[in-house]
């Protein structure tokens, strides 16, 4: 079986940890993969604004997560300040992986 990706060069711009599955998949199809992360994800140093809004979550109708990292850092900070996601808050996820991690944390989207 011939793959249309054999010897094609593919650059993946996610960090290597998050790109691992994609890298393996493309390589298994014969591609030459170059990991080239274009952003560095790191936690905030000052949480004043986040904590202020987190304390008011009962006043919100929706929360939109646009990435796995957004969910992970959000959950981590809520645990640090001992808050939970209100049950009446609707969760919207952009992308399947983001939805999957929301489900891991039992946030129903």
């Amino acid at each position: 079986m011939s793959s249309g990706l054999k010897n094609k060069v593919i650059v993946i711009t996610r960090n290597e940890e998050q790109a691992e599955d994609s890298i393996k998949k493309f390589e298994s199809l014969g591609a030459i993969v170059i990991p080239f992360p274009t952003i560095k994800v790191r936690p905030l140093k000052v949480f004043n604004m986040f904590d202020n809004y987190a304390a008011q979550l009962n006043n919100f109708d929706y929360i939109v997560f646009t990435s796995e990292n957004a969910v992970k850092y959000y959950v981590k900070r809520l645990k640090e300040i001992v808050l939970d996601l209100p049950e009446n808050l609707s969760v919207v996820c952009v992308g399947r992986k983001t939805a999957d991690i929301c489900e891991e944390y039992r946030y129903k989207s």
Side-chain angles (χ1 to χ4, degrees):
M1 174 187 240
S2 177
S3 171
L5 297 181
K6 182 147 182 74
N7 297 320
K8 300 290 183 190
V9 178
I10 297 175
V11 177
I12 297 185
T13 60
R14 299 188 89 190
N15 70 45
E16 286 190 58
E17 179 184 306
Q18 289 181 304
E20 191 175 320
D21 291 343
S22 297
I23 291 170
K24 288 178 184 175
K25 180 67 174 175
F26 285 125
E27 287 177 339
S28 74
L29 295 170
I32 299 163
V33 179
I34 299 172
F36 188 77
T38 56
I39 62 169
K40 182 175 184 178
V41 178
R42 54 194 163 107
L44 295 171
K45 291 182 180 178
V46 178
F47 290 92
N48 298 1
M49 188 180 295
F50 178 92
D51 293 353
N52 180 46
Y53 285 114
Q56 300 176 51
L57 282 173
N58 285 321
N59 297 326
F60 289 84
D61 297 312
Y62 292 90
I63 185 163
V64 179
F65 290 112
T66 59
S67 72
E68 297 171 72
N69 289 318
V71 179
K72 289 176 186 176
Y73 282 106
Y74 176 86
V75 169
K76 182 178 187 283
R77 184 61 184 166
L78 281 189
K79 285 181 181 179
E80 290 170 354
I81 60 175
V82 193
L83 285 176
D84 291 318
L85 190 73
E87 289 186 25
N88 65 320
L89 190 63
S90 296
V91 176
V92 177
C93 298
V94 177
R96 181 74 248 153
K97 288 186 178 186
T98 306
D100 289 344
I101 196 148
C102 278
E103 288 174 15
E104 284 180 34
Y105 288 111
R106 295 184 177 23
Y107 293 173
K108 298 186 190 250
S109 55

